[in-house]
Amino acid sequence: MGTQPMDRDLALAIHTSSPELAMALATFPWSGDAPVSLCCKAAGRGLANVLHQELLSLLPASQWPRLAALAVATGPGGFTGTRLGVVLARTMAQNLQIPLFGCGSFVLMARRLAQHLLQEYPEGCAIQLEQPLRQRGRIRGRYRITAQGGVEERLAPQLLATAVAHEGDGPWLHHPAVVEPATDAVELLRVLMERHAMGDPGPWQEVLPLYPAAPAERP
């Protein structure tokens, strides 16, 4: 007599776009108020050595068939870390045949900031996120926060030379692009639930890491 299939009653978010690994596990569907199991670990360049170990500690492989959906941060972030997280999520989604939702790490930051900025700007505002790089300049992304708390990406993260000035900034509020691993992983769970509620099928093939490139020079 064969074993009974497990109920798909869990959702997992994986965030590896910073030196600190973060994963959030919740019941599915998740209302946003129910408890979340979190894993946060400073991994740095040793992420490859701890990623699977920490995942198994959070959710043993025997329980993976309970997953109903996955979400992963697609960057920008560290090249190796972001790629490892995306590859793991894609592999799990493919093997388990469940939806996978990707979301940019800057979008997650903007969504987090929106909760605070709307208290000061109840009609909405525009923010510019920037992350300095050690040798290659900086990464910039721009986002519009609506009065309803929604976030619209106006400029996807781009790599800019250090010498480029803040040309044409207009109304943009400047904020550093800083990952808060635990908070952003939970926000990633919210993205998962929103996308699923909208009927997004979450094809794993479309989830790719984001590596910003410099915009093409104008003639």
Side-chain angles (χ1 to χ4, degrees):
M1 185 174 179
T3 58
Q4 294 295 322
M6 293 185 180
D7 292 333
R8 293 190 180 271
D9 59 354
L10 296 175
L12 174 67
I14 301 172
H15 197 312
T16 60
S17 294
S18 79
E20 186 170 351
L21 163 67
M23 292 183 286
L25 179 70
T27 56
F28 181 91
W30 179 63
S31 64
D33 299 323
V36 174
S37 297
L38 283 170
C39 164
C40 290
K41 185 178 183 65
R45 295 185 177 181
L47 178 64
N49 298 323
V50 301
L51 178 56
H52 286 84
Q53 175 184 339
E54 294 300 321
L55 173 59
L56 293 174
S57 296
L58 181 66
L59 185 67
S62 62
Q63 299 298 305
W64 290 6
R66 294 178 59 188
L67 288 169
L70 291 161
V72 66
T74 56
F79 177 87
T80 300
T82 300
R83 179 175 57 83
L84 286 173
V86 170
V87 168
L88 172 62
R90 281 168 57 99
T91 302
M92 292 179 68
Q94 181 183 13
N95 290 339
L96 296 170
Q97 298 183 1
I98 58 176
L100 171 61
F101 305 102
C103 183
S105 55
F106 276 35
V107 173
L108 295 170
M109 296 176 205
R111 288 171 59 104
R112 168 173 29 96
L113 290 169
Q115 301 172 25
H116 306 286
L117 289 172
L118 284 177
Q119 299 178 15
E120 185 175 355
Y121 304 94
E123 296 182 358
C125 59
I127 62 173
Q128 177 169 285
L129 299 176
E130 287 199 4
Q131 176 186 7
L133 303 177
R134 290 182 178 180
Q135 299 178 345
R136 302 172 56 200
R138 65 183 185 276
I139 298 174
R140 171 195 290 177
R142 287 174 170 174
Y143 303 85
R144 176 71 188 175
I145 298 172
T146 69
Q148 294 74 34
V151 172
E152 303 169 356
E153 188 168 63
R154 295 297 181 86
L155 176 70
Q158 292 184 336
L159 176 64
L160 302 176
T162 304
V164 177
H166 293 287
E167 73 285 348
D169 283 346
W172 305 98
L173 302 173
H174 293 241
H175 287 268
V178 178
V179 173
E180 293 184 7
T183 304
D184 291 352
V186 173
E187 192 64 35
L188 189 54
L189 274 180
R190 292 193 177 92
V191 171
L192 182 157
M193 295 301 168
E194 291 172 7
R195 300 264 295 272
H196 181 268
M198 293 171 58
D200 187 336
W204 62 266
Q205 300 92 332
E206 297 181 5
V207 178
L208 300 170
L210 173 62
Y211 304 127
E217 295 183 2
R218 297 178 180 179

